[in-house]
Amino acid sequence: MAEKEPKAARRGRPRQAEVARLAGVSQTTVSLVLGGNKQGIVIQEATRERVLLAARTLGYVPDPAARRLAAARNNLLGVFSFTATFPTAVEHSYYRFLVGIEQEAAARGYDLVLFTGSSTGGAGAGAPGALDRVRLADGCLLLGRHVPAEQLRRLVDDGFPLVHLGRRDEPEGLAWAGADYAAASAEVVGHLAGLGHRRIVLVREDDDAPASSDRQRGFLAGLAAAGLPGRDGAVVRTARPAADITAAWVRARHAEGVTAFVAEETDTGDAWRALRAAVAAAGLAVPEAVSLALLGSPPADLSDQPVPTGFDIPRAELGAAAVRLLTGLLAGAEQRSGSLVACTFRPGTTAAPPP
Amino acid sequence: MAEKEPKAARRGRPRQAEVARLAGVSQTTVSLVLGGNKQGIVIQEATRERVLLAARTLGYVPDPAARRLAAARNNLLGVFSFTATFPTAVEHSYYRFLVGIEQEAAARGYDLVLFTGSSTGGAGAGAPGALDRVRLADGCLLLGRHVPAEQLRRLVDDGFPLVHLGRRDEPEGLAWAGADYAAASAEVVGHLAGLGHRRIVLVREDDDAPASSDRQRGFLAGLAAAGLPGRDGAVVRTARPAADITAAWVRARHAEGVTAFVAEETDTGDAWRALRAAVAAAGLAVPEAVSLALLGSPPADLSDQPVPTGFDIPRAELGAAAVRLLTGLLAGAEQRSGSLVACTFRPGTTAAPPP
DNA sequence: CTCGCCAGCTAATGCGCATTAGTCGGGAGG
DNA sequence: CCTCCCGACTAATGCGCATTAGCTGGCGAG
């Protein structure tokens, strides 16, 4: 029955011209009826109905590429990640983001394009020009840290609507939606201070991402707000937590009067891991002898352990916020640099009044 | 309204025409040099160099939309699910499918469009015509059971490339990739028989999906292969497992000589849940007194329980297989009705020789 | 010295759609 | 009765690129 067409993708796909023929009108009219018709051209109701019916009959759907080329909208939001969007590890954080992204996008009538495929021929997301594919969508969400800066700047300069998940300063003018780590960190410190802790130490990894420095800033602000001095050694920075955060180190700090330790959350969770291990090795009971807190969520493999005092990043909400920001940009809103979402305090069981 | 700036996205982006002018050649030549030039047209090396230089100088980047328009394909695979693609429950089975789908799609140079049910203006995936939106992609993967049959048939009839995840007979000509439940179920029965069980009962829910009947078919085939009679009552079908599968029922079966119970896996996992509860309430030890097996994976909330004997569905592999099938169709391959992926036997700890 | 041929290009066309200039028939105004 | 305008469309154009027909100039064969 069906002849073999050369272009498989086009086989049964109706165009506006076919809808037009069926409705007995011109292609222009079809475009006017089905597209926005922002020109305010008047079309008779009966004609309108005929076109609508014909479109429905044929199952017409606009071609996103043609639409974009003609400088219109697609109702398509891109999601570009610099690693696999669906990693094998189920608990990977991207998933939670996507939950929020999808919900918010759906609510606003957008579909999602996952730019995961290497249209560049299997070279992956890192390939030069890989980022340019997103131009097919109306705008794009960016996930992950290791963004090809050059390509990104180019998109930003061209005015392509882009929103990064996570605070990001680097390409000037890039919008972002991030979690308010500073406020959340300060709150955790405030909680510890409220319990009676006077000397608190933050262990952070050797990472200069905004996420890390925001936590440190919040930590120090929290100390100040509680009237505690931000003395030397209040922040410990290490590139190799496992090696540097030892039982001996913990004992020494404890002897100095430190009664609470705080770790930052990172991709690996190494700071928290090392801190827990060291305190345990030092024979100090948690939370009786010392209190611990984690500025973020514990790694998945530690989920069966006692719940750490700290805060949770509302990933889904963050994804939704990013979508709102992006759709705002699409609607022509002013380019606000970023938007912060509050984290929620998690009481946990690793903090108690000092002995 | 006042005139709007000529689309911000286009502002400074050079086109092939500009590269051509700078290089002193025609746009065609630029396309030939920068594009694939699959026509084998010969271009002098010097000209080539000039074009390349000019392109680099201007920072030329091809417009994906134009490229796709001209090529009449979008390099886009749709994923349509009849429920939210990202349910809040992390352990939802779709996620695993997506892992495989994404990987395979990426490897083949396709991006993914998630038809999350928007497009129709928030009406959701159930809205009439919602399915039509997938025509935007080159082809589409279908997830979930409750497919609007009418719309589906139309797409199939139009020759739109579609692959359903899970065996599916209904619209003739619809391709699918499914797990081989029959073989896996037979293998589980064989395992039980091998342990010495002579009377085995299958508890299934009241569902006429192929997934259910395949399991039953495999179960019966397994019995036959082991030389066991498929007597009456070997298969119990219930719409309300919690109410029908009681301790009394289990005791009665046990008294009749039944030493092994098998449950099918469903969305809710109710059959398995009821079976476990009933056996426990009957005071029968597992696997000492009776053996249990599950034709599939346990629900996520039971993941800390003893591992059920049964089989695992290779979801990621299934997703990948579906993508392979779909890309095959796009490449013009013959429409094979379906492809089966083998499940892997899971020994578990709920089956042992009968007392 | 033609003719044919081929290497090396270019002009023209079309993809599917949005948009911008019309076109056309018929009342209102003069 | 003729003009003008207006409502309701349609023809034509272009987006940026790929592709397909040319076109041209030189050179070996006849």
Side-chain angles (χ1 to χ4, degrees):
Chain A
M1 190 177 296
E3 300 288 312
K4 275 196 184 172
E5 288 287 323
K7 308 279 185 183
R10 275 193 42 216
R11 225 179 313 175
R13 205 158 123 174
R15 317 107 209 271
Q16 285 189 347
E18 276 143 49
V19 176
R21 205 177 314 139
L22 180 58
V25 298
S26 71
Q27 178 262 322
T28 304
T29 304
V30 175
S31 173
L32 253 21
V33 170
L34 300 180
N37 185 12
K38 301 166 204 338
Q39 294 74 239
I41 294 179
V42 191
I43 304 263
Q44 210 151 27
E45 191 52 30
T47 309
R48 224 183 112 67
E49 300 283 321
R50 279 213 321 285
V51 171
L52 254 20
L53 176 62
R56 226 173 299 124
T57 305
L58 294 178
Y60 169 78
V61 168
D63 180 323
R67 219 170 156 128
R68 220 291 277 136
L69 191 57
R73 288 283 161 71
N74 260 330
N75 277 285
L76 241 36
L77 296 187
V79 176
F80 192 95
S81 53
F82 303 97
T83 60
T85 307
F86 301 108
T88 318
V90 172
E91 271 298 347
H92 190 100
S93 53
Y94 285 179
Y95 182 81
R96 292 288 166 76
F97 287 135
L98 281 171
V99 171
I101 291 173
E102 194 219 10
Q103 282 193 355
E104 192 67 24
R108 287 165 184 273
Y110 284 91
D111 285 321
L112 257 27
V113 184
L114 265 33
F115 291 103
T116 167
S118 43
S119 298
T120 50
L131 195 49
D132 285 313
R133 309 205 307 286
V134 307
R135 289 184 190 270
L136 184 67
D138 296 338
C140 191
L141 260 29
L142 266 21
L143 300 193
R145 294 196 173 176
H146 309 296
V147 187
E150 203 42 55
Q151 296 182 44
L152 224 195
R153 162 159 294 123
R154 181 150 222 141
L155 282 176
V156 171
D157 288 349
D158 283 356
F160 187 84
L162 242 29
V163 172
H164 186 264
L165 257 83
R167 195 162 76 71
R168 196 161 213 285
D169 307 318
E170 205 186 329
E172 179 112 17
L174 175 62
W176 52 263
D180 194 350
Y181 295 132
S185 298
E187 185 177 4
V188 169
V189 172
H191 177 75
L192 292 173
L195 288 173
H197 295 275
R198 313 278 60 168
R199 292 199 57 178
I200 307 173
V201 167
L202 166 67
V203 177
R204 63 172 287 191
E205 296 182 29
D206 197 26
D207 185 336
D208 274 317
S212 285
S213 42
D214 282 1
R215 285 181 170 88
Q216 171 166 339
R217 194 155 45 74
F219 174 81
L220 295 175
L223 286 184
L228 301 177
R231 54 186 107 196
D232 274 4
V235 175
V236 174
R237 179 174 183 139
T238 168
R240 312 184 318 286
D244 292 341
I245 307 301
T246 60
W249 181 86
V250 167
R251 272 198 216 98
R253 296 293 83 68
H254 191 236
E256 290 169 12
V258 174
T259 54
F261 295 88
V262 178
E264 72 160 343
E265 176 200 345
T266 58
D267 292 345
T268 57
D270 280 346
W272 175 247
R273 230 179 278 273
L275 191 55
R276 285 180 71 246
V279 169
L284 294 168
V286 174
E288 292 77 12
V290 300
S291 289
L292 299 184
L294 172 62
L295 302 182
S297 310
D301 59 313
L302 260 44
S303 59
D304 53 334
Q305 303 295 319
V307 178
T309 296
F311 61 80
D312 288 310
I313 303 165
R315 298 192 202 276
E317 176 49 37
L318 203 49
V323 169
R324 280 193 294 272
L325 222 168
L326 184 53
T327 54
L329 291 180
L330 291 178
E334 270 318 291
Q335 171 99 0
R336 289 162 44 219
S337 57
S339 89
L340 283 176
V341 172
C343 299
T344 57
F345 179 73
R346 179 185 61 231
T349 61
T350 62
Chain B
M1 266 316 206
E3 308 280 321
K4 276 202 173 182
E5 273 298 305
K7 291 302 168 187
R10 279 186 37 219
R11 218 182 323 166
R13 244 158 62 80
R15 318 106 212 279
Q16 285 188 348
E18 276 143 49
V19 176
R21 206 176 314 140
L22 180 58
V25 298
S26 72
Q27 177 263 320
T28 304
T29 305
V30 175
S31 174
L32 253 21
V33 170
L34 299 181
N37 186 12
K38 301 168 206 334
Q39 294 74 237
I41 293 180
V42 191
I43 305 264
Q44 210 151 28
E45 191 53 27
T47 309
R48 227 183 110 66
E49 299 283 320
R50 281 216 317 289
V51 171
L52 253 21
L53 176 62
R56 228 173 298 123
T57 304
L58 293 177
Y60 170 79
V61 172
D63 182 329
R67 201 191 268 266
R68 288 171 179 189
L69 215 214
R73 68 182 355 231
N74 284 316
N75 265 24
L76 247 32
L77 297 186
V79 176
F80 193 94
S81 55
F82 304 96
T83 60
T85 309
F86 300 111
T88 317
V90 174
E91 271 298 347
H92 192 100
S93 53
Y94 285 176
Y95 183 83
R96 292 289 164 75
F97 286 135
L98 284 171
V99 171
I101 291 173
E102 193 215 9
Q103 282 193 356
E104 193 68 24
R108 289 165 183 273
Y110 284 91
D111 288 320
L112 259 26
V113 190
L114 266 31
F115 293 103
T116 151
S118 55
S119 55
T120 51
L131 197 50
D132 279 330
R133 180 139 170 97
V134 306
R135 298 180 115 109
L136 169 159
D138 296 335
C140 192
L141 260 28
L142 266 19
L143 298 194
R145 295 195 170 175
H146 310 296
V147 188
E150 202 42 56
Q151 297 182 43
L152 224 193
R153 163 160 294 124
R154 261 255 309 281
L155 283 177
V156 172
D157 288 349
D158 283 358
F160 185 83
L162 242 28
V163 173
H164 186 264
L165 255 84
R167 194 163 77 71
R168 195 159 212 290
D169 306 318
E170 207 186 326
E172 179 113 16
L174 175 62
W176 51 263
D180 194 350
Y181 296 131
S185 299
E187 184 178 4
V188 169
V189 171
H191 176 76
L192 293 172
L195 288 173
H197 295 276
R198 313 277 61 165
R199 292 201 55 179
I200 307 174
V201 167
L202 166 67
V203 178
R204 64 172 287 193
E205 297 182 27
D206 196 25
D207 187 334
D208 275 317
S212 285
S213 42
D214 282 0
R215 284 182 171 88
Q216 171 166 339
R217 194 156 44 76
F219 174 81
L220 295 175
L223 287 184
L228 302 177
R231 54 185 106 195
D232 272 5
V235 174
V236 175
R237 181 177 184 135
T238 167
R240 310 185 318 288
D244 292 341
I245 307 302
T246 61
W249 179 86
V250 167
R251 272 199 215 94
R253 295 293 83 67
H254 191 236
E256 289 169 14
V258 174
T259 56
F261 296 88
V262 178
E264 73 160 342
E265 176 201 344
T266 58
D267 292 344
T268 58
D270 281 346
W272 175 247
R273 228 180 277 273
L275 190 54
R276 286 181 70 245
V279 169
L284 293 168
V286 175
E288 292 77 13
V290 301
S291 287
L292 299 183
L294 173 60
L295 303 182
S297 310
D301 58 315
L302 260 45
S303 59
D304 53 335
Q305 304 294 319
V307 178
T309 297
F311 61 80
D312 288 310
I313 303 162
R315 298 192 202 277
E317 175 49 36
L318 202 50
V323 169
R324 280 194 294 271
L325 223 167
L326 184 53
T327 55
L329 292 180
L330 289 179
E334 270 317 291
Q335 171 100 359
R336 291 161 43 219
S337 58
S339 90
L340 283 177
V341 171
C343 298
T344 57
F345 180 72
R346 179 187 58 229
T349 60
T350 61

